[in-house]
Every structure is written in C-alpha cells, then in structure tokens.
Amino acid sequence: MKSLGIAAKLALFILSCVFVIVLAIVIYNYAYSREIILKQAEENSRLLALETTSRIDAVLSSVQKMANNIAFSLEDATLTREEILDLDRRVLANNPEIYGMAIAFEPYFLEKDKLFFAPYHYRSAGRIAFTMLGGPRYRYFYMDWYQIPKELGHSIWTEPYNDEGGGGVLMTTYAVPFYRTVDGRKVFAGVVTADVSLEWLKEMLQDIRIYRTGYAFLLSRHGTFVAHPDRNLVMNQTIFSLAEEVKSPALWRIGRNMLDGKSAFVELDNTVSEDERYLFYTGLEYGGWSLGVIFPKSEMLADVTRLSNVMSLIGLFGFALLALLIVTISRRITRPLSRLSKAALEIADGNLDLVLPETRCDDEVGRLTKSFRTMKFSLKEYIDNLTSTTAAKERIESELRIARDIQMGILPKLFPAFPDRTEFEIFASIEPAKEVGGDLYDFFFVDETHFCFLVGDVSGKGVPAAFFMAVTKTLLKVVSERGLNPGEVLSKVNSDLAAENESCMFVTLFLAIIDIETGDVQYANAGHNPPVYMPCGGAPEWIPPLGEPVAGIMDGMQYTTKSMKMNPGDIIFIYSDGVTEAMNPDKELYSDERLMRFMSDARGPFAPKLVKDLDASIKAFARGAEQSDDITMLAMQFMGKCKK
Amino acid sequence: MEFSTTKKDGALVVAVEGRMDAITTTEFDAQSQTWLADGEKKVIADLSGLEYISSAGLRSILAAAKQLKGSGGQLVFCGLSGMVEEVFNVSGFAAMFTIHKTLDDALAG
C-alpha cells in the first residue's frame, strides 16, 4: 500500500467509495422496488381475485335465485304436470348459464300412481332436450343432490362432479328443497336442482394469466381442485392430498384457511413448486369455494431484477468511466511529479545542467517545478562558487604546504649531526602545528672550537611568520659566522630585522655559543622563554631571563651577553612556548611546572633521549588534541673529555 | 576574548578578558583601529582579566602601541598577573612599555 503511487492510491480510495455507494444504491433500490412490487402484486391479486370471485358469485347467485324462485313457485299445489314441465323448460331457455334443471318430487307426491316424477330439461347440441329422471336403475331419492337438501332442510351446492350423462362436462348442482302444505302441515315435496356447467368457470380461470406462468385455481368446499391449469389435479386431488404429497404442512394450513373462507397473501416456499411463489386466496360467497391466485416470485420480480441489473450495469459502466477518469487525472497530476522526482535524483547525482520538464499550468505542481528550478539554479550557483572557492583554497593550501616544506627544509634534520665529534651531543626536533608557524632552531660551528646553537619563535602564524623565520635564520647564520659574541649577534640581527618591519613582526631568540674544549658558554636572550640548565647529576634550573625585548621591533637595541660554564654531561635544553603551552582537550597547558618536573625526573639524561621522551610526554598529555603552535626543542649536551 | 571600554579622566580604559591568541587578536586589531580613528591619546590596557597571551597577541599589542605612538599617543598597561606578566617579562615587553600595578596607578601616571 505504501509503495503505491498517488494515482493508484487515489483511484483505490475513490473507487472503493464509489463502489460502496453504487452497491448501496442498487441494493436499496432492489429492496425498495421489491417491496413496492410486492405491495402492488398483493393489491392487484386482491383486485383480481375479488373481480373473479364476484363474477363467479354473480353467476352462482343468479342461478341460486332462479332455483329458489322455482322452488317457491312449486309450493303452489294447483300447478299441473304440464305447467311444471313448461316451467322447467322455460327457465332453462331463459337462463343460458343453467346447463340443466330438474324438478324432482317425492314418490307418489304429484301423481299418486307414479313412483317417480322428475322432469329434467338440459342442453344438448345447442337445443333443449327433455327426459324424465327416475327408474329402477336411477332411484333419484337416494342421490346426494336429493338426500342432503331434504335432510338438511335448506339448499346446497353439491361437490363438483363429472356428468357422464351430460357429455362428461364438469358440473355442480344447486339443490333447493321445496315444500307444500298438506292438511295444514308443511311437508317436504321435492327438490329443484339447477346444474351449472363449470366449463365457463374453467375457461374464465384459464384466461387469468398472471405474468408468464402465474395462474388461478379454485377449490371446492372439501378442498378438491375444481379448476387448475394442471388437469391431473382437477377433480382428482384435494389441496390436502397435494400437501401430503409434497410434505408441506404450510400448504395444509393454507388449505384449511382457504376452506374457512379466509383471505390472505402468503409466500409459498419451493417445497410446493420448483420456484418460490406468492399466493393470494379468498373465499367465494356461494358454494363454500375458494379462489387462489398464484404469482411466480421470479417473474413478478423480473422487472425489479431487470431494473437492478440495468442499474448495476450503469453503475459498473460509470465505475469504469470514473476509474478511467481518476487514473487519467491523477496521472496528469503525478506525471510531472514523477518526472520531477526523476529529475531530482539526477540533480542529486550531480547533473545540475539538467533541463527540468516544462510546466504548462500554474497549479501546485507547476509552482513546485518553478521552486525546483529556482533551487537548481541556486544550487548550481552555489556549487560553482564553492568549486571556485575550494579550488582557490586548495591552491593556497597547496602553496602553503610547499612553503611549509621549504621552511622545514632549511632546518637541520640529520641526527646525529656530528657523528665524529665526541665533545658534545646535540639533538633537536620540531613538531609543526597544522598552520604554518614561525619556530626555528639552528646549530653550526662558527670556528674550529666554537659551536653556536639557537632556538627562535617568530610571532604570529602563516606565510608572514614563515618568511620572517627564514630571513631571521639566514641573518643569524651570516652574522654569527663573523665571530661576534651572542649579544652582538642579536643586536645586529635585531637592527637588520627592525630596519624594514612595518608589520611589527618580531622573533624571540635564545642564542648560545659554546667553547667545546672548555665548556664555557656565552648566551644572549631576546625575549625567549628561559631554557633549562641540567647539570650532570644535579637538579635542573631555569636559565634566568634577562628581561631584554624580542628582536625585530626596536632598532638600536643592545643585547647583553651572559656567560656560564658547562661541565661534562650537562645539558642546556632550549624550547619554544609550543612546549609549555601544549594544550590537552580540557584546555589545560603543559606548563612550566610540568616541564620542570619532567626534567627533574629525568635520570642520567642523554640529549636525544631527553628530547624524544619529552616529546612523548607532551603527546601523552595532549591526548591527541590538535596543537596551535609549533613544538620546538633543542638539547645541547656537553661531553668534554667524557665518552659519549 | 571580550573587551569593555570606558572613558576615565581623559584616558580610554580597555579591559581585555579571556585569551588573546592568533585567532582572537583580529578583534583586538579592529578595536585598536577605532581608538586611532577616535584620536585617543592615552589608552590604558587593563589586562587583569587576561588569562593567556600568545606571541600573536603580543604582536597585536605592539602594532597598536606603535601606531598610537605615531599619532602622538601612548599605550600603557596595568593589572598584569600570572602567565601574562611572565610573558611580558620574558619577551622584554615589560622593558619596552609603561606598566603600572593597578588601574588607579595608571590613571594617576
């Protein structure tokens, strides 16, 4: 996720949101439309069922009325046999919905000699046919349609039946008992029946097409299928036998409710049929019948499903379009960014001449590119500056290094310096500071027996100090070789240096000349740190300063020459202030005290070893801290006649 | 290194504190240029707060003194102690300049 680009991230977030929204809309729409459709379906089915039942009821009620009227007329005892036959035939002729009508009398009731009297008019081949029911093989008094109204004392609708005599058509019969008054008593006289063909009913129900496979069905009083698209069910099965067959207690319950004449809109699970369906049922007013209307769920919801599908499709299309749009937009945003990031990498690699991508607009990315371009120019300028500065600095540094090398080169570095001389031992070292300094030392014979040695420290640092040092050293050598004493040498050198010294450079000097045969030493000090005198076997001591000023500033200054005597083994140790002012990381100085302590602790010292040991001691003290000053040391040990 | 300058009895008193080495002397040089520009005649360098002075520091003092002398002025010192006093003695600066023990002495002198 983290490594995804902005475009991908943007697309991912927005598209997930959109997906959820579209999904929510489709689901809500489906659920809502489904509810509406279901409500409508229930309403429609109710209307349909009511319309159907009322049409059926209208027919049945007219039949019922007719039969009831006939029954009422038959209570008139004055009616003749002909009149009764005529009545029967006329009713049939005037009521097309009545398939046949019989007026069946009690045995021997109308005519005392006739067991049967039951004229029956019925339709046959478009005409009205007539027969008298009753005979040894059809004793109608025992038939249900006669017995039940007689026993119950009210009219009934028989269970539908297939009428063999009437051409195998499905019939139901309305039977009404009628009575006559005999001897002041009302006695049962017979039954009027009106046969109704249920073919029209079947046709009517067949015409009810609900969606593609929806249908209506009719149950009789006992739950027998009177009308149903499945012919195998009609008159063969009851709703209860069907419920048994498919093992659906729910259907059995529905059957009970239907026979009770209730109305309801219910959902049928797929145990009853392959697909799920809705059923609306309602009882009829007459006959104890019940009408059911079946709605196939999938067909009913087909529109909703189609709508949802279309919506999903539109959503999907919109989704794809949006994805494309987002990717395009974010690409347009991020392409300059990624180009910029690539350019940044290249610039980071050092290619400052890289041409940055052009920006067309002044949006954030455009501004970023502009800032970036400015940064690149500044960077380039800065680097160019830095490069030239660095180059200049390097050149100067390299020149300084060379100057340093030359400066160091003029100091004697070869030890032992006089391997064939047994009278003395001399050793010197200089530890240059990082910056060019102005320390110097030198030693040389001024004649056969006189040996000159000196240490000096030019004020300040850098090239001026180096120059001054070189001049001083050259002057000292030249002047010393004239055979002057140390004071005269310093006086002369001082004058020469001071003559043209506008910059106020100066040098401290300690110069001594020893007679290597006697050990007599003459020395002069121009403002230099007091050197250390180490008598052989005795305690070291400072050679006291004379308080005479540094050389190079006061023209005409006269320096005093002092004398001292060195015995064999004695050492004169001269150093620059780099020794006593060597600093450790805690900013502590090596100090005069430490130097003197070191000198006191030196046992049976030997000049070269003394210098090297002191150097080690200073380094140990400094703990690697960088020193700001040159550290110069010179030890002169007089041997006299001693063996080295 | 820190400076504080005050005017006292017609003299400019410059109190120098801290370390005076090759790096910090440039500040002293800049200061001395301002005295010259202001036409100071008597400058008293109070070095009682100075802990350390290197040869470069001495050179700066020397240059300042010379220039001041060239314009008819004078640079005097006071309050030398410890290492600084030692350096002044060793280098012969003590012999070259007027040095007083205290600031009051310097003002009086």
Side-chain angles (χ1 to χ4, degrees):
Chain A
M1 185 72 188
K2 276 184 181 158
S3 63
L4 280 180
I6 291 177
K9 270 183 203 156
L10 205 64
L12 197 69
F13 287 133
I14 294 180
L15 291 181
S16 330
C17 274
V18 169
F19 182 76
V20 170
I21 291 168
V22 168
L23 198 70
I25 290 175
V26 169
I27 288 175
Y28 175 77
N29 179 68
Y30 180 80
Y32 192 71
S33 324
R34 187 171 178 270
E35 203 178 315
I36 290 177
I37 294 265
L38 277 184
K39 254 186 207 156
Q40 270 181 359
E42 188 178 350
E43 198 53 42
N44 286 345
S45 60
R46 191 184 301 277
L47 285 175
L48 185 70
L50 286 181
E51 189 197 325
T52 309
T53 49
S54 62
R55 274 168 66 189
I56 296 172
D57 282 338
V59 171
L60 296 187
S61 96
S62 71
V63 169
Q64 217 171 305
K65 259 187 215 151
M66 190 53 61
N68 288 344
N69 285 343
I70 302 294
F72 184 71
S73 336
L74 285 171
E75 287 180 13
D76 181 2
T78 61
L79 285 172
T80 62
R81 171 192 160 98
E82 276 65 37
E83 278 170 336
I84 287 170
L85 289 180
D86 188 49
L87 181 67
D88 194 33
R89 193 188 52 79
R90 269 194 293 119
V91 166
L92 200 60
N94 291 334
N95 292 284
E97 62 272 20
I98 297 177
Y99 180 79
M101 177 169 260
I103 299 170
F105 277 84
E106 279 282 275
Y108 309 113
F109 195 94
L110 191 69
E111 293 169 4
K112 301 295 177 198
D113 54 342
K114 282 192 177 151
L115 180 61
F116 306 110
F117 185 84
Y120 180 51
H121 283 90
Y122 60 98
R123 297 177 195 280
S124 175
R127 295 178 48 216
I128 292 172
F130 172 74
T131 183
M132 286 296 275
L133 300 175
R137 292 172 65 193
Y138 189 71
R139 301 171 77 86
Y140 61 79
F141 329 111
Y142 302 122
M143 303 306 287
D144 277 355
W145 59 263
Y146 192 89
Q147 277 288 313
I148 295 170
K150 178 184 174 186
E151 293 306 320
L152 293 177
H154 61 73
S155 59
I156 58 147
W157 283 94
T158 65
E159 274 291 286
Y161 56 92
N162 274 315
D163 180 63
E164 289 93 21
V169 291
L170 188 66
M171 298 269 207
T172 185
T173 298
Y174 181 69
V176 195
F178 63 90
Y179 304 87
R180 282 200 179 165
T181 310
V182 178
D183 303 333
R185 272 192 314 123
K186 190 178 172 186
V187 293
F188 175 72
V191 169
V192 175
T193 71
D195 299 337
V196 181
S197 164
L198 293 182
E199 292 305 309
W200 64 270
L201 208 145
K202 272 159 83 178
E203 272 163 29
M204 190 173 100
L205 289 186
Q206 261 165 23
D207 286 345
I208 297 175
R209 276 270 159 250
I210 303 146
Y211 300 107
R212 203 162 47 73
T213 57
Y215 57 87
F217 65 90
L218 198 66
L219 289 187
S220 76
R221 186 200 318 269
H222 296 122
T224 308
F225 285 102
V226 177
H228 194 283
D230 186 354
R231 290 195 170 281
N232 294 328
L233 293 179
V234 177
M235 299 306 293
N236 287 332
Q237 291 234 37
T238 64
I239 192 164
F240 303 109
S241 64
L242 186 66
E244 285 291 315
E245 206 171 273
V246 300
K247 293 187 174 53
S248 169
L251 187 62
W252 200 88
R253 273 196 301 279
I254 288 166
R256 272 261 53 92
N257 287 336
M258 284 179 81
L259 295 198
D260 286 350
K262 293 176 181 163
S263 294
F265 189 75
V266 291
E267 191 172 350
L268 295 177
D269 58 15
N270 51 12
T271 53
V272 182
S273 59
E274 280 165 22
D275 50 351
E276 290 174 34
R277 294 163 170 206
Y278 290 100
L279 163 68
F280 179 79
Y281 58 80
T282 183
L284 269 67
E285 201 169 332
Y286 305 104
W289 297 354
S290 186
L291 180 77
V293 182
I294 289 279
F295 297 84
K297 190 175 172 182
S298 61
E299 287 168 29
M300 196 169 84
L301 295 176
D303 281 345
V304 183
T305 311
R306 198 178 313 119
L307 181 67
S308 295
N309 285 345
V310 168
M311 278 187 71
S312 303
L313 213 66
I314 291 171
L316 210 68
F317 182 70
F319 186 79
L321 203 69
L322 196 65
L324 199 73
L325 201 71
I326 289 169
V327 169
T328 311
I329 289 175
S330 43
R331 276 261 176 82
R332 270 182 69 171
I333 292 170
T334 57
R335 202 182 300 123
L337 277 182
S338 48
R339 275 206 302 251
L340 211 56
S341 119
K342 218 192 272 173
L345 264 184
E346 210 165 312
I347 286 171
D349 281 345
N351 181 9
L352 286 173
D353 297 320
L354 183 78
V355 178
L356 284 177
E358 278 303 315
T359 44
R360 268 164 295 173
C361 37
D362 194 32
D363 57 7
E364 284 86 346
V365 176
R367 286 202 289 277
L368 179 64
T369 309
K370 269 181 200 152
S371 318
F372 208 73
R373 187 171 291 132
T374 312
M375 186 197 80
K376 193 196 79 169
F377 284 132
S378 307
L379 211 57
K380 191 167 150 56
E381 208 172 71
Y382 175 73
I383 285 180
D384 284 348
N385 262 340
L386 197 66
T387 309
S388 57
T389 313
T390 309
K393 193 164 173 256
E394 272 173 5
R395 204 183 63 242
I396 290 169
E397 272 177 2
S398 122
E399 284 173 1
L400 274 178
R401 217 165 28 246
I402 294 167
R404 187 72 168 153
D405 290 346
I406 293 168
Q407 186 201 16
M408 287 297 139
I410 62 174
L411 299 177
K413 287 268 179 47
L414 199 62
F415 296 103
F418 304 96
D420 50 339
R421 290 287 181 166
T422 56
E423 298 93 333
F424 66 95
E425 184 64 46
I426 190 157
F427 190 83
S429 82
I430 181 163
E431 184 78 36
K434 192 179 168 220
E435 206 182 336
V436 178
D439 277 15
L440 69 135
Y441 66 84
D442 204 1
F443 46 80
F444 45 86
F445 276 98
V446 292
D447 57 39
E448 281 299 306
T449 55
H450 290 89
F451 184 70
C452 176
F453 56 98
L454 62 101
V455 170
D457 182 359
V458 174
S459 67
K461 293 266 183 308
V463 175
F467 265 119
F468 205 77
M469 172 261 184
V471 169
T472 307
K473 185 185 173 285
T474 314
L475 273 176
L476 277 168
K477 177 130 194 200
V478 171
V479 173
S480 300
E481 282 172 349
R482 293 182 193 161
L484 303 172
N485 68 36
E488 290 165 337
V489 173
L490 291 194
S491 300
K492 175 71 181 130
V493 169
N494 174 51
S495 298
D496 289 350
L497 287 175
E500 299 292 340
N501 187 8
E502 287 309 312
S503 61
C504 283
M505 298 287 290
F506 61 83
V507 58
T508 69
L509 283 167
F510 185 90
L511 183 142
I513 297 172
I514 183 169
D515 182 333
I516 56 167
E517 286 180 339
T518 63
D520 289 328
V521 179
Q522 289 189 308
Y523 68 89
N525 188 345
H528 197 77
N529 324 37
V532 180
Y533 169 58
M534 296 179 79
C536 186
E541 55 190 76
W542 301 110
I543 297 175
L546 306 174
E548 291 179 332
V550 294
I553 43 172
M554 289 178 84
D555 198 3
M557 175 75 202
Q558 292 299 313
Y559 288 91
T560 357
T561 301
K562 286 272 184 177
S563 297
M564 63 184 284
K565 172 89 176 161
M566 279 181 95
N567 295 310
D570 291 358
I571 294 174
I572 289 178
F573 176 76
I574 320 171
Y575 60 92
S576 68
D577 57 4
V579 171
T580 48
E581 288 167 19
M583 206 177 265
N584 69 7
D586 301 332
K587 302 269 181 222
E588 289 171 334
L589 303 180
Y590 191 73
S591 76
D592 293 347
E593 288 71 31
R594 273 199 191 79
L595 175 63
M596 198 44 108
R597 202 156 55 239
F598 175 85
M599 290 298 174
S600 306
D601 293 346
R603 290 279 162 259
F606 176 56
K609 188 174 185 300
L610 183 75
V611 171
K612 285 173 191 161
D613 286 354
L614 180 55
D615 189 50
S617 167
I618 294 167
K619 287 209 167 86
F621 170 79
R623 300 204 299 271
E626 199 173 89
Q627 296 306 317
S628 61
D629 217 349
D630 294 348
I631 297 174
T632 307
M633 298 181 273
L634 183 145
M636 168 72 186
Q637 189 166 29
F638 176 65
M639 295 299 184
K641 301 276 187 285
C642 283
K643 285 283 170 211
K644 271 191 189 173
Chain B
M1 191 168 65
E2 281 171 29
F3 297 96
S4 59
T5 53
T6 46
K7 272 284 204 185
K8 237 178 195 177
D9 303 341
L12 183 74
V13 179
V14 182
V16 186
E17 286 184 10
R19 295 169 56 88
M20 207 168 157
D21 53 27
I23 298 157
T24 53
T25 45
T26 48
E27 292 173 46
F28 187 86
D29 289 342
Q31 281 279 324
S32 65
Q33 290 307 311
T34 61
W35 313 332
L36 283 168
D38 294 347
E40 297 291 344
K41 292 298 173 212
K42 185 176 181 183
V43 178
I44 301 169
D46 182 357
L47 304 185
S48 51
L50 194 64
E51 295 164 12
Y52 171 86
I53 184 163
S54 77
S55 56
L58 288 178
R59 195 193 66 80
S60 267
I61 285 175
L62 198 61
K66 257 195 166 177
Q67 284 176 310
L68 209 57
K69 200 172 179 180
S71 59
Q74 193 195 7
L75 177 64
V76 300
F77 298 88
C78 68
L80 274 69
S81 64
M83 185 259 175
V84 177
E85 188 176 18
E86 201 183 310
V87 167
F88 264 66
N89 285 333
V90 167
S91 62
F93 268 53
M96 280 190 281
F97 296 104
T98 314
I99 295 174
H100 297 280
K101 261 262 181 273
T102 63
L103 180 59
D104 292 334
D105 295 344
L107 288 166

